[in-house]
């Protein structure tokens, strides 16, 4: 397998799908605002994990493409709403003005609502078209993990913890829900669509959780050790914003150890999927390599 | 049929369902904010229409209760987000502080997101539990009508039309999407769950559209002719806010004529459902009676 070639082909597949779903129609401005944020440089991490998990359990990735686009829409809505003045009040993301700066606050709120809603529309439309119960189950899995029991709950606790030091339990809750939940959702939904048995599904759930926590620790470490040029955003921003991080709560050494341990566990669990899991395994390693 | 008794029983059924879905858990504040707005005095119009349509086509309303709750959650999310400072900037709704005034702006944004997401979770959970394809189709119908092609698109055009006189086509687009779409969604989803044939579904679609436009015309008329005491909100607010209304665009006489004609058509179409449609017919008449 030429990993980089397959990777780029899949990213292009997802982008093609997203372009089709977001093709402007009346009223154009809302499609432009949704498209602006969706095409603002995302790496398509969650769609690639979803497709990779589908493949790893023996499924056909073309059957999972709609869901891959849907989870990127849902991820993007969380970014648009998190950046709003009443939330994290960020003017830039990945070096570009955030949605409410490029458009306006009202349009950004509605673009977020629109992307969340469209994500569900796409999943439901796939479920109706394909008729299999697995699509409905996959959509429910994503819905539960991005709702108040998942991503939204995480953002609530994150906001409540601003300007005060979070305890270990609170920090883990935030990381589990804000970061890990959508990664778990991607892997589980892909696996369900691909026809995973109970064992494979449970393993991908564990992989998603560990991968999510590992990514978040990595982010927290990079905020201290990287440079603005490499990172594409100001370093030290967590500290400046008095934001509790894995490093500030557990210390740098423990953060680094946990990151390495979780990454190794992810790779070991992925080994069980053999040749079918080769892409997912290689992609996980690529993501981990960023700081090793 | 003792209409008022049945009406109150159904409202209580819906409220019980909503209380169960919104039972607080960690992080409590988001459940409190969602519950605050859901229990701020809504008449449960859309749930009652959904249950009534299910019954009118011969379905069992207990099978549609989850969807009835879901559509009320989705309706409530649109109110919370529409009231935000960046949108209509309303401090009061039905005489009570709006969600962002009672809580805070960030929590109100997330409460809206949470209710939209939970609405889909509830529908998907029903679809998975019950296994029938009709539940997935009903959820897709609601999803399409409340998304960018429906309610959200309507709010976008409404915002863009502020402070300028909307033309007839624009005003009808706003009324069709902002008001009629969710009413159509309620009737169609209820009918799909109840096992409607093509003819009944298409009739309820037409009923929903006409009912929605009629309600909006009524609202616009009441804003001129009623009193603050009767209405529970300041009269003349549309005029004060330079808001285009059916009355300002088409004139009072035409508005009144259209309202009466649409209402009559709704009742006539509902007659075709016979005894099974008695509740829905009586409820429609009750709603119409408010200004006749």
């Amino acid at each position: 397998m030429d990993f980089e070639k397959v990777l780029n082909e899949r990213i292009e597949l997802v982008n093609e799908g997203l372009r089709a779903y977001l093709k402007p129609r009346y009223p154009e401005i809302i499609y432009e605002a949704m498209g602006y944020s969706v095409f603002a440089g995302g790496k398509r991490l969650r769609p690639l994990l979803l497709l990779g998990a589908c493949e790893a359990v023996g499924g056909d990735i073309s059957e999972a493409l709609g869901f891959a686009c849907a989870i990127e829409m849902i991820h993007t809505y969380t970014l648009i709403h998190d950046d709003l003045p009443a939330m994290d009040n960020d003017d830039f993301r990945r070096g570009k003005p955030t949605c409410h700066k490029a458009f306006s606050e009202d349009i950004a709120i509605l673009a977020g609502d629109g992307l969340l809603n469209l994500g569900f529309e796409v999943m439901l439309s796939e479920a109706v078209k394909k008729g299999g119960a697995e699509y409905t189950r996959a959509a429910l899995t994503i819905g539960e993990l991005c709702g108040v029991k998942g991503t939204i709950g995480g953002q609530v606790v994150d906001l409540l913890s601003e300007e005060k030091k979070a305890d270990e339990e609170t920090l883990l809750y935030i990381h589990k829900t804000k970061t890990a939940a959508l990664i778990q959702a991607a892997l589980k939904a892909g696996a369900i669509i691909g026809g995973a048995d109970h064992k494979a599904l449970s393993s991908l759930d564990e992989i998603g959780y560990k991968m999510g926590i590992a990514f978040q620790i990595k982010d927290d470490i990079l905020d201290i050790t990287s440079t603005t040029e490499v990172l594409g955003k100001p370093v030290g921003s967590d500290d400046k914003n008095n934001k509790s991080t894995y490093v500030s709560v557990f210390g740098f050494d423990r953060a680094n150890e946990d990151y390495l341990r979780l990454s190794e566990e992810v790779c070991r669990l992925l080994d069980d999927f053999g040749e079918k899991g080769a892409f997912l395994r290689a992609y996980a390693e690529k993501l981990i390599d960023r700081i090793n």
Side-chain angles (χ1 to χ4, degrees), chain A:
Chain A
M1 180 187 61
D2 181 345
F3 172 72
E4 288 294 333
K5 184 163 166 279
V6 177
L7 179 75
N8 289 324
E9 280 167 6
R10 289 186 184 183
I11 290 174
E12 190 42 37
L13 268 180
V14 171
N15 285 340
E16 260 173 44
L18 287 167
R19 273 193 292 271
Y21 286 123
L22 294 168
K23 201 173 157 193
R25 43 184 291 174
Y26 182 78
E28 284 79 7
I29 193 170
I30 190 74
Y31 291 89
E32 286 161 16
M34 294 191 298
Y36 173 82
S37 289
V38 166
F39 290 102
K43 295 184 294 293
R44 312 300 180 224
L45 188 138
R46 290 152 199 84
L48 290 165
L49 293 175
L50 192 148
L51 297 176
C54 175
E55 177 184 53
V57 300
D60 175 354
I61 65 160
S62 70
E63 299 291 321
L65 203 56
F67 273 68
C69 293
I71 204 162
E72 187 71 5
M73 293 177 197
I74 292 173
H75 168 62
T76 307
Y77 119 78
T78 67
L79 303 182
I80 295 175
H81 280 189
D82 283 4
D83 287 338
L84 287 168
M87 303 266 243
D88 298 347
N89 195 18
D90 279 319
D91 291 351
F92 289 92
R93 177 174 289 275
R94 299 182 192 121
K96 290 181 68 175
T98 44
C99 192
H100 64 275
K101 295 306 274 186
F103 293 82
S104 54
E105 208 179 322
D106 49 4
I107 292 296
I109 294 168
L110 291 166
D113 294 345
L115 283 169
L116 174 58
N117 200 96
L118 190 58
F120 281 108
E121 280 179 71
V122 167
M123 294 191 287
L124 284 163
S125 159
E126 290 288 292
V128 167
K129 236 186 300 176
K130 290 175 171 150
E134 63 273 27
Y135 292 95
T136 317
R137 274 209 301 138
L140 176 59
T141 298
I142 291 178
E144 285 178 343
L145 285 160
C146 70
V148 280
K149 293 186 287 290
T151 318
I152 296 173
Q155 176 67 1
V156 170
V157 177
D158 199 16
L159 287 168
L160 297 176
S161 309
E162 263 173 16
E163 304 291 334
K164 63 180 173 199
K165 195 165 154 53
D167 59 25
E168 298 185 2
E169 199 187 353
T170 306
L171 186 87
L172 279 176
Y173 176 85
I174 296 171
H175 284 3
K176 184 180 129 187
T177 47
K178 264 196 80 166
T179 311
L182 260 192
I183 291 179
Q184 279 176 291
L187 291 173
K188 287 178 81 174
I192 293 169
I193 292 170
D197 61 19
H198 182 74
K199 186 167 163 273
L201 191 59
S202 147
S203 170
L204 283 160
D205 187 38
E206 187 182 342
I207 290 168
Y209 175 75
K210 291 184 167 164
M211 197 184 262
I213 300 293
F215 285 170
Q216 190 56 56
I217 302 178
K218 184 190 67 182
D219 246 30
D220 293 352
I221 292 177
L222 284 175
D223 189 63
I224 294 174
T225 59
S226 189
T227 63
T228 302
E229 290 68 39
V230 172
L231 214 54
K233 64 177 180 183
V235 293
S237 65
D238 292 338
D239 195 38
K240 211 182 86 202
N241 300 332
N242 286 320
K243 215 172 162 63
S244 295
T245 70
Y246 207 87
V247 177
S248 71
V249 170
F250 292 99
F252 186 84
D253 291 346
R254 163 83 187 273
N256 211 36
E257 272 163 42
D258 285 355
Y259 171 72
L260 290 173
R261 181 179 49 78
L262 290 166
S263 303
E264 276 161 25
E265 283 171 20
V266 164
C267 290
R268 207 184 55 233
L269 285 163
L270 281 171
D271 283 339
D272 291 343
F273 290 88
E275 196 44 48
K276 296 195 305 299
F279 175 83
L280 190 58
R281 175 76 165 72
Y283 186 54
E285 229 167 304
K286 181 189 166 80
L287 294 166
I288 289 163
D289 261 1
R290 260 183 70 198
I291 70 160
N292 269 353

